[in-house]
Amino acid sequence: MSSLKRAGDVTITIEGTNRSATLPLLAGTLGPPAVDIRKLYQELGVFTFDPGYGETASCESKITYIDGDAGVLLYRGYPIEQLAEKSDFVEVCYLLMYGELPTAEQLAHFRRGVTYHTMVHEQLRRFFDGFRRDAHPMAVMCGVVGALAAFYHDNLDINDPRQREIAAYRLIAKVPTIAAWAYKYSLGQPFIYPRNDLSYAANFLHMLNAVPAEEYKVSPTLEKAMDLILILHADHEQNASTSTVRLAGSTGANPFACIAAGIAALWGPAHGGANEAVLKMLSDIGHPKNIPAFINEVKDKNSHTKLMGFGHRVYKNFDPRAKIMKESCHAVLKELGVTHEPLLELAMELERIALTDEYFISRKLYPNVDFYSGIILKAMGIPTSMFTVIFAVARTIGWISQWKELIEDPSQRIGRPRQVYTGPPRRDYVPIEARG
Ligand code: CMC
């Protein structure tokens, strides 16, 4: 059921002609209204042109709201700051998926359901053997999460709400197991099976760090930090990977395959791969004395160098997740007894210089979530190649909630953008002897 309200009309006239169309202006609960252009081509014979979809609302959604100018992020209306402080990741998963905070009973039931699905089919283990030892864990994630489609395809009816719900449980529960095994595989260590007596974050850390030869106790500091990282990355409205999941889902594709498509989109350095790129950038800079030269390189249009972890398509102010991440970064390092972390000091100096530089000020470029997340993950002993994998584990709930919303939306159609063609006009085939 659509909750969009008619907020007025917009009339578009093609100058120099008598052709004009009156289109509805649709308003949601928060944020700017949108011109409903669904009849534009029919009425005026024109398309809209918006590469990168920066000004286009591709769907109606009740899940996440961002006010990029004010630096606000809400999950189902709840501010990210409150959820980061008071909630935990599994409760946030429930909220994103069902739209409301659970009662104690609903939460216990949900936790049990997620826990129940943490193991993967033993046959799925064999997929790992097909990868080279040095394969990037995101490549392994794309392959193995996509392979889940082969295990749950024939009996999965996406039009049945219960089956959609079970697919969601399976994904939330199994993705950490697959992620941890991708890491273990790269180390050549035995896979560690899930432990259902541990919290979601602790179980994930256990599968990442434990070895069968000795007992591994999950540090409560690391457990808390991991839970926070998962909450902060859980959803972010129609970003590139979520839009990829929705586009794939709009064809009626298997949900596990849709999530694998989302993982592929997340991997890019402009999106989730930025956390890995930030650490590489910091270690390349090496010392605060090299920052001015690096900033000059970033400002040089011919260099193609970006200040990774800075800038955002929607936030033209501080990314609220970055603020929480920065505070948590200090707290985690303190709790871990790290008194001097050169990378953190370098990052803070880089941030200070960038925030006072006209180039970044005029373009409203602020630190995003990835600027500090890599430093926390590094302090937690997580290798750089796993950073984006952890983002993928967290974002799985966002992807599957958005996929469910899409399938349940009666106005949903196959995603199929148009284009403005600038190639050659119609021409006739030229035989090879006549080409010159
Ligand atoms: N360093 C230097 N210049 C930048 C940066 C940056 N990180 N980001 C944007 N700019 C410049 C850009 O060159 C352009 O300059 P001009 O107007 O002179 O051509 C201007 O700022 C506007 O940028 P844009 O490319 O139009 O912005 P966009 O919305 O297309 O791109 C972005 C957004 C996130 C891809 C980009 O800011 C970027 O590449 N940032 C670095 C990568 C990064 O940290 N990504 C993580 C995003 S947050 C986590 C997530 O949700 O995935």
Side-chain angles (χ1 to χ4, degrees):
M1 230 327 241
S2 173
S3 303
L4 291 169
K5 300 255 178 328
R6 185 122 178 200
D9 289 326
V10 170
T11 301
I12 299 181
T13 305
I14 303 184
E15 256 179 56
T17 73
N18 58 358
R19 285 155 66 206
S20 81
T22 299
L23 304 169
L25 194 59
L26 301 178
T29 332
L30 297 169
V35 185
D36 178 354
I37 57 161
R38 280 174 287 187
K39 295 229 163 74
L40 187 66
Y41 178 69
Q42 198 182 313
E43 300 206 355
L44 285 184
V46 299
F47 294 145
T48 53
F49 183 61
D50 184 20
Y53 313 120
E55 313 280 313
T56 297
S58 62
C59 62
E60 175 186 346
S61 181
K62 295 180 167 58
I63 302 177
T64 294
Y65 174 74
I66 302 173
D67 181 337
D69 295 321
V72 167
L73 170 60
L74 311 176
Y75 291 167
R76 300 282 190 182
Y78 295 100
I80 191 67
E81 294 80 4
Q82 291 182 21
L83 294 169
E85 190 193 332
K86 298 181 177 149
S87 187
D88 73 26
F89 180 65
V90 174
E91 187 180 57
V92 167
C93 289
Y94 185 99
L95 174 69
L96 288 170
M97 202 163 131
Y98 295 108
E100 296 297 336
L101 286 169
T103 61
E105 198 186 322
Q106 286 167 330
L107 184 57
H109 182 259
F110 184 68
R111 272 192 213 285
R112 255 197 318 279
V114 170
T115 306
Y116 178 78
H117 286 100
T118 49
M119 291 207 301
V120 296
H121 197 289
E122 272 300 291
Q123 262 187 315
L124 196 82
R125 283 183 64 124
R126 301 204 196 130
F127 277 81
F128 289 85
D129 296 333
F131 290 97
R132 283 170 57 123
R133 282 270 172 242
D134 58 358
H136 194 287
M138 279 301 275
V140 178
M141 288 292 284
C142 291
V144 180
V145 173
L148 284 175
F151 287 80
Y152 308 107
H153 185 70
D154 292 345
N155 57 356
L156 201 159
D157 174 6
I158 59 166
N159 296 313
D160 174 352
R162 179 64 190 139
Q163 294 196 37
R164 286 198 294 273
E165 194 173 29
I166 294 173
Y169 274 57
R170 284 192 168 123
L171 274 156
I172 306 163
K174 292 182 201 307
V175 165
T177 311
I178 294 171
W181 286 10
Y183 175 48
K184 287 297 192 192
Y185 185 76
S186 71
L187 295 179
Q189 287 185 2
F191 294 156
I192 302 293
Y193 282 83
R195 283 255 313 264
N196 291 351
D197 57 322
L198 298 177
S199 74
Y200 190 92
N203 171 51
F204 184 35
L205 284 165
H206 187 262
M207 289 189 292
L208 283 170
N209 296 326
V211 287
E214 54 190 64
E215 200 190 345
Y216 171 79
K217 276 217 173 323
V218 181
S219 133
T221 307
L222 298 192
E223 181 181 351
K224 210 168 101 216
M226 179 58 82
D227 201 67
L228 178 74
I229 288 170
L230 296 176
I231 292 174
L232 294 183
H233 289 85
D235 195 45
H236 215 225
E237 54 120 301
Q238 308 310 319
N239 56 82
S241 57
T242 302
S243 297
T244 302
V245 170
R246 277 189 177 257
L247 199 53
S250 76
T251 69
N254 177 292
F256 299 95
C258 295
I259 301 301
I263 293 173
L266 184 74
W267 191 5
H271 191 6
N275 51 17
E276 190 177 336
V278 168
L279 261 241
K280 185 174 178 312
M281 173 189 77
L282 292 174
S283 59
D284 286 350
I285 296 173
H287 192 278
K289 75 173 174 4
N290 301 326
I291 294 176
F294 176 74
I295 294 279
N296 283 339
E297 190 182 324
V298 167
K299 292 187 327 196
D300 175 3
K301 284 277 166 216
N302 299 319
S303 76
H304 299 294
T305 304
K306 287 236 154 114
L307 175 50
M308 299 311 286
F310 257 68
H312 197 274
R313 170 59 62 80
V314 183
Y315 293 120
K316 301 301 167 198
N317 197 327
F318 264 90
D319 175 342
R321 303 168 301 170
K323 276 193 196 162
I324 302 171
M325 203 62 97
K326 184 176 175 181
E327 280 164 26
S328 159
C329 194
H330 289 288
V332 168
L333 292 177
K334 195 165 158 226
E335 282 187 55
L336 291 174
V338 183
T339 48
H340 169 64
E341 168 55 69
L343 282 185
L344 178 60
E345 284 152 26
L346 187 59
M348 283 170 58
E349 182 59 5
L350 189 55
E351 180 188 355
R352 190 190 65 74
I353 293 177
L355 289 178
T356 50
D357 189 297
E358 185 46 32
Y359 175 94
F360 297 92
I361 296 171
S362 62
R363 288 170 179 77
K364 298 189 177 167
L365 299 172
Y366 291 91
N368 60 50
V369 69
D370 290 319
F371 195 68
Y372 283 103
S373 63
I375 298 169
I376 305 192
L377 289 168
K378 182 174 175 287
M380 290 168 69
I382 309 273
T384 318
S385 64
M386 283 296 289
F387 291 0
T388 314
V389 173
I390 287 166
F391 195 153
V393 169
R395 188 54 59 83
T396 297
I397 179 59
W399 290 329
I400 198 66
S401 302
Q402 300 264 356
W403 172 82
K404 270 176 90 269
E405 188 178 64
L406 165 100
I407 302 293
E408 287 157 20
D409 180 352
S411 72
Q412 96 87 12
R413 306 159 73 199
I414 185 169
R416 199 336 184 157
R418 303 305 297 256
Q419 63 172 10
V420 180
Y421 176 71
T422 53
R426 188 199 177 281
R427 50 187 172 164
D428 289 324
Y429 180 81
V430 180
I432 197 158
E433 323 76 69
R435 291 174 216 160

